[in-house]
Amino acid sequence: MVGVPVASPPGGAGAPREEAPRPPPPPAPRNGTSPKQGALTIVRRSSSRNKTESCSTPTDEQLDQLDLDTEHLPAVDTPDACDKAALRLRYLLRQLNRGEISAETLQKNLQYAAKVLEAVYIDETKDRRDAEQPRAQQTTLPMRRLRTPCWARCSVEKPNEAKPAVARQQSAPTLVFRRLADEDDELSEVQPDAVPPEVREWLASTFTRQLATSKRKSDEKPKFRSVAHAIRAGIFVDRIYRRVTSTALMQFPQDVVRVLKTLDEWSFDVFALHDAASGAPVKYLGYELLNRYGMIHKFKVPPTILENFLSRIEEGYCKFHNPYHNNLHAADVAQTVHYMLCQTGLMNWLSDLEIFATLVAAIVHDFEHTGTTNNFHVMSGSDTALLYNDRAVLENHHISAAFRLMRDEECNILQNLSRDEFREFRTLVIDMVLATDMSFHFQQLKNMRSLLSLAEPTVDKSKAVSLVLHCCDISHPAKYELTPGTVPGYLFEISYFKPKCNLRRLHSG
């Protein structure tokens, strides 16, 4: 037998070795990974048992009886291969210490052990990938789809403009297609396997002939056809409800419809909407946005209640004849928030309630603005400053006045929200409107920069949408050209005429 030169163990080759008591090997954290300390442990994978076992240390008698022949070894991807490989590795170590091993036998057995470890690693990697795949799918943001605009479903033709018959025939299919596309919402995409058993039973008992009291056998599964019919019936009932409610939607004049066709663009002309809506841009734009995002249907907001609410909000913006913080500014900010939601994909990250709160906060963020600054209220000792203790005076008033308006039954757009939904909605609106205070501007930027500089930043939704609303509130210089009669003209009036009027009123009082 040809021997290979090996290094002698510590203490010399002939030094006696005492067997010290060995502590039990620590359990392997995962299959295919070795523990940090302790004796060599090979994890055995078995299809019949869920738990992993570590191979016990073989005795000298077992090692003496071992045959190093590699012809009849089990396949490398079988559970027995781990045992065989572990036993052979220990035998090879003993033979290396003794210097009684041929190079050919050593090479073949090491190759077999390496293949076994590779098979375990590949199998374990596959299991880890399969375990991580559902988590990756859960983090994927669902794509939100906006509803058909109100004016596309129920636009009003002017009485003195009669369309030709050919034009009516050409436009009819488009209108029907839009309506059907709007009705095919998320309910039609429900997969039968995603429906909980309780919901299946309720749908089957409600929309089929099956009695609710009848009990199935324990091993009998609900039929796919009955569940599919039940889901289809639920969708049909929902469509009927939508058609009934859509008949009561607010009517849009043609001039307003023409302007709202560019609602999704950054260059949306809010001044043209103000003129087309006869000075009521918040009413039409707010109604359109809440419908486009499905908030009217999702939270069961009565159309007449919503129309009353928006009309009263419009009146509040015009209460003090403010040249800048008026209803035109409110419509501009609401449209900019809509642009940020739909064009950046932000709407896919937010829930329905968070989008509802964001849109309402944008609409009411300067409600009943007096046309003066917070500092003016504080220095003049106004009743509003005394009420809110000189802290974010105007912003607190905007929030308080808006929620006080929603306590009116004819303007309560939150009447069908649950208690928890109302609390979350109110908290979000308060946080967002308070963040429009310019005294918090640099602090918000500093906090967001610090957060984004972290290795793994976690963005709080409330702070994120608050910063978005604040940016939209001061975005007008990036949207309009510096032409007379637009934003610069209003700013000049605010900076020159308004302070003089306020000072004259203060000194005369």
Side-chain angles (χ1 to χ4, degrees):
M1 178 181 296
V2 180
V4 294
V6 295
S8 298
R17 290 176 297 175
E18 297 181 358
E19 290 292 332
R22 298 184 179 183
R30 285 187 68 90
N31 294 340
T33 60
S34 59
K36 296 181 180 180
Q37 298 177 352
L40 176 65
T41 302
I42 301 295
V43 177
R44 178 171 58 200
R45 300 176 60 86
S46 175
S47 58
S48 60
R49 285 172 288 185
N50 294 329
K51 297 183 179 180
T52 60
E53 294 182 16
S54 61
C55 302
S56 59
T57 304
T59 62
D60 291 338
E61 295 180 357
Q62 291 176 336
L63 293 178
D64 290 337
Q65 298 175 0
L66 182 63
D67 183 12
L68 293 180
D69 184 20
T70 57
E71 296 294 333
H72 304 288
L73 289 174
V76 294
D77 56 350
T78 58
D80 294 335
C82 291
D83 294 337
K84 296 292 183 182
L87 195 61
R88 285 170 179 270
L89 287 175
R90 291 194 176 278
Y91 183 79
L92 292 173
L93 289 174
R94 192 182 74 164
Q95 293 302 102
L96 285 172
N97 291 333
R98 295 178 179 180
E100 301 174 354
I101 185 70
S102 65
E104 183 180 0
T105 304
L106 178 64
Q107 183 181 8
K108 289 183 178 180
N109 283 274
L110 287 179
Q111 287 179 351
Y112 177 79
K115 291 180 180 179
V116 171
L117 292 176
E118 288 174 356
V120 173
Y121 174 77
I122 293 173
D123 193 11
E124 183 63 25
T125 306
K126 179 181 178 182
D127 293 344
R128 193 182 302 113
R129 251 194 336 260
D130 294 341
E132 292 175 354
Q133 186 173 4
R135 292 198 296 269
Q137 291 177 353
Q138 291 176 2
T139 57
T140 303
L141 295 177
M143 298 302 294
R144 186 182 295 272
R145 186 170 56 182
L146 298 181
R147 291 168 58 89
T148 304
C150 292
W151 47 264
R153 291 185 292 174
C154 54
S155 58
V156 181
E157 299 291 341
K158 291 184 179 180
N160 56 350
E161 293 181 1
K163 296 182 70 175
V166 177
R168 287 197 301 268
Q169 292 176 0
Q170 293 177 351
S171 61
T174 304
L175 183 59
V176 173
F177 172 76
R178 286 176 176 173
R179 183 172 297 172
L180 292 178
D182 178 64
E183 291 166 354
D184 293 336
D185 60 354
E186 64 277 2
L187 288 177
S188 61
E189 299 174 359
V190 174
Q191 299 295 330
D193 295 338
V195 181
E198 297 82 0
V199 179
R200 291 190 182 192
E201 294 179 1
W202 180 84
L203 289 172
S205 62
T206 305
F207 298 105
T208 64
R209 297 180 179 179
Q210 177 187 341
L211 297 178
T213 56
S214 62
K215 296 183 179 180
R216 290 192 179 94
K217 297 179 182 180
S218 58
D219 58 344
E220 183 181 357
K221 296 182 179 180
K223 295 182 179 180
F224 174 80
R225 181 173 299 179
S226 63
V227 174
H229 284 312
I231 296 176
R232 192 175 293 110
I235 297 174
F236 177 72
V237 172
D238 181 78
R239 288 179 178 177
I240 293 177
Y241 169 76
R242 291 191 180 191
R243 289 180 180 179
V244 171
T245 55
S246 64
T247 57
L249 291 177
M250 187 172 67
Q251 305 299 315
F252 283 64
Q254 283 297 311
D255 292 340
V256 174
V257 169
R258 192 177 300 108
V259 178
L260 288 178
K261 288 182 179 180
T262 60
L263 184 62
D264 300 341
E265 299 177 6
W266 176 258
S267 58
F268 176 77
D269 192 351
V270 70
F271 297 97
L273 176 63
H274 181 270
D275 296 337
S278 302
V282 172
K283 176 181 177 182
Y284 293 103
L285 187 138
Y287 200 103
E288 174 63 14
L289 291 181
L290 293 174
N291 171 73
R292 288 279 297 277
Y293 285 92
M295 301 298 105
I296 299 177
H297 172 73
K298 176 68 178 180
F299 298 104
K300 297 180 174 57
V301 181
T304 55
I305 298 296
L306 177 58
E307 188 174 353
N308 293 338
F309 169 76
L310 293 174
S311 298
R312 295 284 297 276
I313 291 293
E314 198 108 46
E315 294 174 3
Y317 272 103
C318 303
K319 181 177 181 180
F320 295 96
H321 304 286
N322 195 328
Y324 178 75
H325 292 96
N326 48 32
N327 57 343
L328 194 147
H329 170 68
D332 177 40
V333 173
Q335 187 275 333
T336 310
V337 168
H338 160 66
Y339 179 88
M340 299 299 293
L341 289 176
C342 70
Q343 299 296 340
T344 65
L346 185 61
M347 64 178 181
N348 300 319
W349 183 54
L350 302 175
S351 65
D352 290 328
L353 188 64
E354 290 165 347
I355 291 179
F356 190 24
T358 303
L359 294 175
V360 172
I363 293 172
V364 306
H365 80 281
D366 276 331
F367 180 55
E368 292 187 354
H369 198 293
T370 58
T372 54
T373 63
N374 285 335
N375 190 47
F376 178 86
H377 281 277
V378 173
M379 298 303 293
S380 62
S382 66
D383 293 338
T384 309
L386 293 175
L387 178 62
Y388 299 111
N389 300 317
D390 299 346
R391 303 289 178 86
V393 177
L394 287 171
E395 287 74 23
N396 275 300
H397 175 73
H398 304 326
I399 302 167
S400 177
F403 276 97
R404 195 180 303 114
L405 174 63
M406 285 185 278
R407 295 182 65 177
D408 187 350
E409 293 183 358
E410 296 183 356
C411 301
N412 187 9
I413 61 174
L414 311 178
Q415 57 185 258
N416 290 316
L417 266 63
S418 65
R419 184 182 297 272
D420 293 337
E421 289 175 337
F422 175 79
R423 295 305 308 171
E424 182 180 357
F425 178 93
R426 177 171 165 79
T427 301
L428 287 170
V429 172
I430 291 175
D431 291 343
M432 282 186 278
V433 176
L434 286 180
T436 60
D437 187 353
M438 284 301 299
S439 63
F440 299 146
H441 174 78
F442 293 103
Q443 185 63 39
Q444 287 189 77
L445 295 182
K446 180 180 178 181
N447 294 339
M448 189 57 66
R449 287 197 188 100
S450 300
L451 190 148
L452 295 177
S453 64
L454 300 177
E456 296 182 359
T458 55
V459 181
D460 181 74
K461 285 188 176 182
S462 177
K463 294 181 179 179
V465 293
S466 297
L467 183 59
V468 168
L469 178 59
H470 172 58
C471 293
C472 295
D473 188 25
I474 57 177
S475 67
H476 55 267
K479 297 183 68 175
Y480 304 105
E481 298 180 359
L482 300 180
T483 57
T486 56
V487 174
Y490 296 134
L491 294 179
F492 175 75
E493 185 176 349
I494 294 172
S495 61
Y496 183 76
F497 292 106
K498 198 70 175 181
K500 288 189 174 183
C501 295
N502 291 331
L503 291 174
R504 190 180 299 110
R505 185 185 357 165
L506 180 63
H507 290 300
S508 62

